[in-house]
Amino acid sequence: AQSVTQPDIHITVSEGASLELRCNYSYGATPYLFWYVQSPGQGLQLLLKYFSGDTLVQGIKGFEAEFKRSQSSFNLRKPSVHWSDAAEYFCAVGGNQGGKLIFGQGTELSVKP
Amino acid sequence: GAVVSQHPSWVICKSGTSVKIECRSLDFQATTMFWYRQFPKQSLMLMATSNEGSKATYEQGVEKDKFLINHASLTLSTLTVTSAHPEDSSFYICSAREMRGTQYFGPGTRLTVL
């Protein structure tokens, strides 16, 4: 079955600390992987994506993610978190055909001063 | 680039009325758009896939006669909630898929049915 698991429902980090949000997927074909961020009452903003090539991808706002095929993971990282990073983060997987995305349940990030 | 708009951003209507939500890709053409529903503190639930010039494909459990989708052009898809009831109150989000496969999302529409 195709699925995305974000094991952490809620994470709290101190401002300036490093961050890693976990994402594991199960997908039968070559996966297209995405991380989106959602602020309250807003739509989703694309942070970064992986289609092929270099397994370490850089995104906006200083985020990066690493695709590890052997672990079926696509974890999101940021070396130093800012208070404005507090939001809901969604990992998603899809294939080129059809374009349907499967979303994880999301991880809520809180940032403490 | 890759901006998707939705209108209205919020709407309040009486039970039994119909509400139309527009989704537009502003700077790219989208042969495929998607409609999602999101409940508080939950992930997105795909309702339907909208293809330009053809009928929408609905996910299992979504009533196609209640949620009418029209994708008349490469930049516009509409979702009409017909005979809305309080249980239809939700946050509706659309996305538009660009050629290489990335979905860009609209800002969402908050629907409240009284």
Side-chain angles (χ1 to χ4, degrees), chain B residues 20-23 33 35 48-58 64 67-80:
Chain B
K20 180 184 283 187
I21 303 170
E22 291 187 352
C23 177
M33 292 184 173
W35 288 95
T49 302
S50 169
N51 294 299
E52 187 265 338
S54 64
K55 290 184 178 181
T57 303
Y58 291 82
K64 63 181 180 181
F67 299 100
L68 300 179
I69 292 172
N70 182 275
H71 193 158
S73 78
L74 289 172
T75 59
L76 173 64
S77 176
T78 60
L79 168 69
T80 301

mmCIF file of all heavy atoms in Angstrom, chain B residues 20-23 33 35 48-58 64 67-80:
data_model
loop_
_atom_site.group_PDB
_atom_site.id
_atom_site.type_symbol
_atom_site.label_atom_id
_atom_site.label_comp_id
_atom_site.label_asym_id
_atom_site.label_seq_id
_atom_site.Cartn_x
_atom_site.Cartn_y
_atom_site.Cartn_z
ATOM 1 N N LYS B 20 -19.913 28.368 -4.796
ATOM 2 C CA LYS B 20 -18.907 28.090 -5.820
ATOM 3 C C LYS B 20 -17.560 28.644 -5.394
ATOM 4 O O LYS B 20 -17.456 29.798 -4.965
ATOM 5 C CB LYS B 20 -19.295 28.709 -7.158
ATOM 6 C CG LYS B 20 -18.262 28.449 -8.262
ATOM 7 C CD LYS B 20 -18.612 29.157 -9.571
ATOM 8 C CE LYS B 20 -19.690 28.451 -10.310
ATOM 9 N NZ LYS B 20 -19.907 29.038 -11.657
ATOM 10 N N ILE B 21 -16.533 27.826 -5.518
ATOM 11 C CA ILE B 21 -15.161 28.224 -5.191
ATOM 12 C C ILE B 21 -14.330 28.144 -6.466
ATOM 13 O O ILE B 21 -14.375 27.142 -7.179
ATOM 14 C CB ILE B 21 -14.556 27.304 -4.117
ATOM 15 C CG1 ILE B 21 -15.425 27.305 -2.857
ATOM 16 C CG2 ILE B 21 -13.130 27.738 -3.781
ATOM 17 C CD1 ILE B 21 -15.033 26.240 -1.845
ATOM 18 N N GLU B 22 -13.582 29.203 -6.728
ATOM 19 C CA GLU B 22 -12.737 29.240 -7.928
ATOM 20 C C GLU B 22 -11.277 29.002 -7.582
ATOM 21 O O GLU B 22 -10.786 29.483 -6.557
ATOM 22 C CB GLU B 22 -12.863 30.597 -8.622
ATOM 23 C CG GLU B 22 -14.202 30.859 -9.261
ATOM 24 C CD GLU B 22 -14.204 32.148 -10.063
ATOM 25 O OE1 GLU B 22 -13.207 32.905 -9.980
ATOM 26 O OE2 GLU B 22 -15.189 32.398 -10.782
ATOM 27 N N CYS B 23 -10.600 28.313 -8.453
ATOM 28 C CA CYS B 23 -9.163 28.063 -8.312
ATOM 29 C C CYS B 23 -8.497 28.435 -9.632
ATOM 30 O O CYS B 23 -8.880 27.918 -10.688
ATOM 31 C CB CYS B 23 -8.929 26.589 -7.998
ATOM 32 S SG CYS B 23 -7.186 26.101 -7.884
ATOM 33 N N MET B 33 -5.868 19.900 -12.076
ATOM 34 C CA MET B 33 -6.004 20.564 -10.784
ATOM 35 C C MET B 33 -6.620 19.581 -9.817
ATOM 36 O O MET B 33 -7.310 18.636 -10.218
ATOM 37 C CB MET B 33 -6.854 21.826 -10.899
ATOM 38 C CG MET B 33 -6.188 22.942 -11.692
ATOM 39 S SD MET B 33 -7.197 24.450 -11.677
ATOM 40 C CE MET B 33 -6.083 25.598 -12.472
ATOM 41 N N TRP B 35 -8.650 19.067 -5.898
ATOM 42 C CA TRP B 35 -9.412 19.668 -4.808
ATOM 43 C C TRP B 35 -9.273 18.807 -3.558
ATOM 44 O O TRP B 35 -9.462 17.586 -3.604
ATOM 45 C CB TRP B 35 -10.885 19.811 -5.189
ATOM 46 C CG TRP B 35 -11.106 20.896 -6.194
ATOM 47 C CD1 TRP B 35 -11.183 20.779 -7.546
ATOM 48 C CD2 TRP B 35 -11.260 22.294 -5.906
ATOM 49 N NE1 TRP B 35 -11.380 22.006 -8.127
ATOM 50 C CE2 TRP B 35 -11.423 22.963 -7.144
ATOM 51 C CE3 TRP B 35 -11.272 23.052 -4.730
ATOM 52 C CZ2 TRP B 35 -11.607 24.339 -7.238
ATOM 53 C CZ3 TRP B 35 -11.446 24.425 -4.830
ATOM 54 C CH2 TRP B 35 -11.613 25.055 -6.063
ATOM 55 N N ALA B 48 -11.014 15.172 -5.358
ATOM 56 C CA ALA B 48 -11.176 14.879 -6.783
ATOM 57 C C ALA B 48 -10.028 15.449 -7.575
ATOM 58 O O ALA B 48 -9.351 16.381 -7.145
ATOM 59 C CB ALA B 48 -12.489 15.452 -7.288
ATOM 60 N N THR B 49 -9.841 14.840 -8.736
ATOM 61 C CA THR B 49 -8.854 15.308 -9.708
ATOM 62 C C THR B 49 -9.608 15.913 -10.874
ATOM 63 O O THR B 49 -10.509 15.277 -11.445
ATOM 64 C CB THR B 49 -7.985 14.136 -10.194
ATOM 65 O OG1 THR B 49 -7.344 13.537 -9.063
ATOM 66 C CG2 THR B 49 -6.935 14.608 -11.183
ATOM 67 N N SER B 50 -9.240 17.120 -11.215
ATOM 68 C CA SER B 50 -9.940 17.863 -12.248
ATOM 69 C C SER B 50 -9.045 18.001 -13.476
ATOM 70 O O SER B 50 -7.958 18.554 -13.383
ATOM 71 C CB SER B 50 -10.288 19.253 -11.691
ATOM 72 O OG SER B 50 -10.743 20.130 -12.697
ATOM 73 N N ASN B 51 -9.506 17.485 -14.594
ATOM 74 C CA ASN B 51 -8.734 17.557 -15.827
ATOM 75 C C ASN B 51 -9.419 18.482 -16.819
ATOM 76 O O ASN B 51 -10.632 18.387 -17.031
ATOM 77 C CB ASN B 51 -8.579 16.169 -16.442
ATOM 78 C CG ASN B 51 -7.734 15.257 -15.587
ATOM 79 O OD1 ASN B 51 -6.565 15.529 -15.331
ATOM 80 N ND2 ASN B 51 -8.321 14.182 -15.118
ATOM 81 N N GLU B 52 -8.647 19.342 -17.415
ATOM 82 C CA GLU B 52 -9.194 20.321 -18.334
ATOM 83 C C GLU B 52 -9.914 19.648 -19.482
ATOM 84 O O GLU B 52 -9.356 18.757 -20.134
ATOM 85 C CB GLU B 52 -8.069 21.227 -18.850
ATOM 86 C CG GLU B 52 -8.538 22.388 -19.695
ATOM 87 C CD GLU B 52 -8.496 22.104 -21.179
ATOM 88 O OE1 GLU B 52 -7.747 21.198 -21.592
ATOM 89 O OE2 GLU B 52 -9.219 22.770 -21.935
ATOM 90 N N GLY B 53 -11.154 20.040 -19.670
ATOM 91 C CA GLY B 53 -11.931 19.554 -20.801
ATOM 92 C C GLY B 53 -12.555 18.186 -20.617
ATOM 93 O O GLY B 53 -13.163 17.658 -21.554
ATOM 94 N N SER B 54 -12.427 17.605 -19.445
ATOM 95 C CA SER B 54 -13.040 16.293 -19.225
ATOM 96 C C SER B 54 -13.648 16.236 -17.827
ATOM 97 O O SER B 54 -13.488 17.154 -17.030
ATOM 98 C CB SER B 54 -12.018 15.180 -19.406
ATOM 99 O OG SER B 54 -11.002 15.268 -18.431
ATOM 100 N N LYS B 55 -14.334 15.150 -17.582
ATOM 101 C CA LYS B 55 -14.999 15.003 -16.288
ATOM 102 C C LYS B 55 -13.973 14.782 -15.178
ATOM 103 O O LYS B 55 -12.936 14.142 -15.386
ATOM 104 C CB LYS B 55 -15.967 13.827 -16.327
ATOM 105 C CG LYS B 55 -17.190 14.061 -17.200
ATOM 106 C CD LYS B 55 -18.152 12.879 -17.118
ATOM 107 C CE LYS B 55 -19.391 13.130 -17.955
ATOM 108 N NZ LYS B 55 -20.351 11.988 -17.874
ATOM 109 N N ALA B 56 -14.322 15.260 -14.018
ATOM 110 C CA ALA B 56 -13.444 15.072 -12.866
ATOM 111 C C ALA B 56 -13.481 13.627 -12.382
ATOM 112 O O ALA B 56 -14.468 12.915 -12.586
ATOM 113 C CB ALA B 56 -13.861 16.008 -11.739
ATOM 114 N N THR B 57 -12.408 13.226 -11.769
ATOM 115 C CA THR B 57 -12.329 11.900 -11.162
ATOM 116 C C THR B 57 -12.422 12.066 -9.663
ATOM 117 O O THR B 57 -11.581 12.724 -9.052
ATOM 118 C CB THR B 57 -10.994 11.213 -11.528
ATOM 119 O OG1 THR B 57 -10.880 11.137 -12.942
ATOM 120 C CG2 THR B 57 -10.946 9.818 -10.927
ATOM 121 N N TYR B 58 -13.430 11.444 -9.066
ATOM 122 C CA TYR B 58 -13.675 11.607 -7.644
ATOM 123 C C TYR B 58 -13.078 10.451 -6.851
ATOM 124 O O TYR B 58 -13.072 9.308 -7.297
ATOM 125 C CB TYR B 58 -15.177 11.700 -7.382
ATOM 126 C CG TYR B 58 -15.800 12.974 -7.903
ATOM 127 C CD1 TYR B 58 -16.154 13.104 -9.244
ATOM 128 C CD2 TYR B 58 -16.020 14.057 -7.055
ATOM 129 C CE1 TYR B 58 -16.702 14.284 -9.734
ATOM 130 C CE2 TYR B 58 -16.576 15.231 -7.528
ATOM 131 C CZ TYR B 58 -16.910 15.340 -8.868
ATOM 132 O OH TYR B 58 -17.449 16.509 -9.347
ATOM 133 N N LYS B 64 -20.156 12.950 -6.080
ATOM 134 C CA LYS B 64 -19.919 13.805 -7.235
ATOM 135 C C LYS B 64 -21.085 14.744 -7.523
ATOM 136 O O LYS B 64 -20.897 15.809 -8.108
ATOM 137 C CB LYS B 64 -19.605 12.959 -8.470
ATOM 138 C CG LYS B 64 -20.719 12.048 -8.913
ATOM 139 C CD LYS B 64 -20.279 11.252 -10.138
ATOM 140 C CE LYS B 64 -21.382 10.334 -10.613
ATOM 141 N NZ LYS B 64 -20.975 9.528 -11.791
ATOM 142 N N PHE B 67 -20.522 17.690 -4.888
ATOM 143 C CA PHE B 67 -19.328 18.506 -5.132
ATOM 144 C C PHE B 67 -19.067 18.515 -6.639
ATOM 145 O O PHE B 67 -18.375 17.646 -7.177
ATOM 146 C CB PHE B 67 -18.132 17.950 -4.365
ATOM 147 C CG PHE B 67 -18.302 17.931 -2.881
ATOM 148 C CD1 PHE B 67 -18.659 16.766 -2.216
ATOM 149 C CD2 PHE B 67 -18.121 19.096 -2.131
ATOM 150 C CE1 PHE B 67 -18.814 16.747 -0.832
ATOM 151 C CE2 PHE B 67 -18.278 19.093 -0.755
ATOM 152 C CZ PHE B 67 -18.626 17.922 -0.095
ATOM 153 N N LEU B 68 -19.634 19.531 -7.298
ATOM 154 C CA LEU B 68 -19.516 19.625 -8.745
ATOM 155 C C LEU B 68 -18.217 20.329 -9.123
ATOM 156 O O LEU B 68 -17.933 21.413 -8.630
ATOM 157 C CB LEU B 68 -20.709 20.390 -9.322
ATOM 158 C CG LEU B 68 -22.085 19.779 -9.050
ATOM 159 C CD1 LEU B 68 -23.176 20.654 -9.650
ATOM 160 C CD2 LEU B 68 -22.172 18.364 -9.608
ATOM 161 N N ILE B 69 -17.471 19.713 -10.006
ATOM 162 C CA ILE B 69 -16.194 20.280 -10.424
ATOM 163 C C ILE B 69 -16.205 20.528 -11.915
ATOM 164 O O ILE B 69 -16.595 19.664 -12.697
ATOM 165 C CB ILE B 69 -15.034 19.349 -10.040
ATOM 166 C CG1 ILE B 69 -14.889 19.327 -8.516
ATOM 167 C CG2 ILE B 69 -13.728 19.784 -10.710
ATOM 168 C CD1 ILE B 69 -13.909 18.294 -8.007
ATOM 169 N N ASN B 70 -15.764 21.725 -12.268
ATOM 170 C CA ASN B 70 -15.662 22.097 -13.664
ATOM 171 C C ASN B 70 -14.276 22.649 -13.936
ATOM 172 O O ASN B 70 -13.770 23.462 -13.170
ATOM 173 C CB ASN B 70 -16.735 23.145 -14.018
ATOM 174 C CG ASN B 70 -16.697 23.523 -15.484
ATOM 175 O OD1 ASN B 70 -15.939 24.380 -15.905
ATOM 176 N ND2 ASN B 70 -17.505 22.837 -16.266
ATOM 177 N N HIS B 71 -13.655 22.200 -15.014
ATOM 178 C CA HIS B 71 -12.302 22.655 -15.358
ATOM 179 C C HIS B 71 -12.342 23.104 -16.817
ATOM 180 O O HIS B 71 -11.912 22.379 -17.712
ATOM 181 C CB HIS B 71 -11.328 21.493 -15.152
ATOM 182 C CG HIS B 71 -9.888 21.896 -15.174
ATOM 183 N ND1 HIS B 71 -8.913 21.126 -14.589
ATOM 184 C CD2 HIS B 71 -9.254 22.964 -15.681
ATOM 185 C CE1 HIS B 71 -7.733 21.699 -14.754
ATOM 186 N NE2 HIS B 71 -7.922 22.821 -15.414
ATOM 187 N N ALA B 72 -12.889 24.298 -16.999
ATOM 188 C CA ALA B 72 -13.208 24.761 -18.347
ATOM 189 C C ALA B 72 -12.018 25.297 -19.115
ATOM 190 O O ALA B 72 -12.055 25.384 -20.342
ATOM 191 C CB ALA B 72 -14.295 25.834 -18.273
ATOM 192 N N SER B 73 -10.959 25.680 -18.421
ATOM 193 C CA SER B 73 -9.795 26.220 -19.113
ATOM 194 C C SER B 73 -8.534 25.732 -18.426
ATOM 195 O O SER B 73 -8.590 25.103 -17.365
ATOM 196 C CB SER B 73 -9.831 27.746 -19.118
ATOM 197 O OG SER B 73 -9.425 28.262 -17.858
ATOM 198 N N LEU B 74 -7.403 26.025 -19.018
ATOM 199 C CA LEU B 74 -6.127 25.568 -18.470
ATOM 200 C C LEU B 74 -5.696 26.346 -17.238
ATOM 201 O O LEU B 74 -4.673 26.035 -16.635
ATOM 202 C CB LEU B 74 -5.034 25.656 -19.543
ATOM 203 C CG LEU B 74 -5.148 24.635 -20.668
ATOM 204 C CD1 LEU B 74 -4.141 24.936 -21.764
ATOM 205 C CD2 LEU B 74 -4.952 23.224 -20.143
ATOM 206 N N THR B 75 -6.472 27.346 -16.853
ATOM 207 C CA THR B 75 -6.098 28.133 -15.685
ATOM 208 C C THR B 75 -7.210 28.254 -14.658
ATOM 209 O O THR B 75 -7.041 28.938 -13.651
ATOM 210 C CB THR B 75 -5.667 29.559 -16.103
ATOM 211 O OG1 THR B 75 -6.754 30.191 -16.785
ATOM 212 C CG2 THR B 75 -4.434 29.521 -17.009
ATOM 213 N N LEU B 76 -8.325 27.589 -14.879
ATOM 214 C CA LEU B 76 -9.453 27.765 -13.969
ATOM 215 C C LEU B 76 -10.189 26.455 -13.723
ATOM 216 O O LEU B 76 -10.583 25.754 -14.655
ATOM 217 C CB LEU B 76 -10.444 28.790 -14.524
ATOM 218 C CG LEU B 76 -11.763 28.966 -13.761
ATOM 219 C CD1 LEU B 76 -11.502 29.507 -12.361
ATOM 220 C CD2 LEU B 76 -12.704 29.888 -14.537
ATOM 221 N N SER B 77 -10.362 26.150 -12.453
ATOM 222 C CA SER B 77 -11.224 25.048 -12.046
ATOM 223 C C SER B 77 -12.157 25.572 -10.970
ATOM 224 O O SER B 77 -11.766 26.419 -10.157
ATOM 225 C CB SER B 77 -10.405 23.875 -11.495
ATOM 226 O OG SER B 77 -11.248 22.840 -11.012
ATOM 227 N N THR B 78 -13.390 25.093 -10.969
ATOM 228 C CA THR B 78 -14.339 25.522 -9.949
ATOM 229 C C THR B 78 -14.913 24.313 -9.222
ATOM 230 O O THR B 78 -15.109 23.242 -9.812
ATOM 231 C CB THR B 78 -15.497 26.338 -10.557
ATOM 232 O OG1 THR B 78 -16.194 25.535 -11.503
ATOM 233 C CG2 THR B 78 -14.980 27.599 -11.221
ATOM 234 N N LEU B 79 -15.166 24.516 -7.937
ATOM 235 C CA LEU B 79 -15.827 23.524 -7.093
ATOM 236 C C LEU B 79 -17.113 24.145 -6.585
ATOM 237 O O LEU B 79 -17.079 25.213 -5.968
ATOM 238 C CB LEU B 79 -14.933 23.146 -5.921
ATOM 239 C CG LEU B 79 -15.578 22.329 -4.794
ATOM 240 C CD1 LEU B 79 -15.920 20.927 -5.276
ATOM 241 C CD2 LEU B 79 -14.658 22.252 -3.572
ATOM 242 N N THR B 80 -18.228 23.502 -6.878
ATOM 243 C CA THR B 80 -19.516 23.975 -6.375
ATOM 244 C C THR B 80 -20.046 22.981 -5.353
ATOM 245 O O THR B 80 -20.227 21.798 -5.689
ATOM 246 C CB THR B 80 -20.531 24.150 -7.516
ATOM 247 O OG1 THR B 80 -20.017 25.089 -8.466
ATOM 248 C CG2 THR B 80 -21.860 24.664 -6.973
#
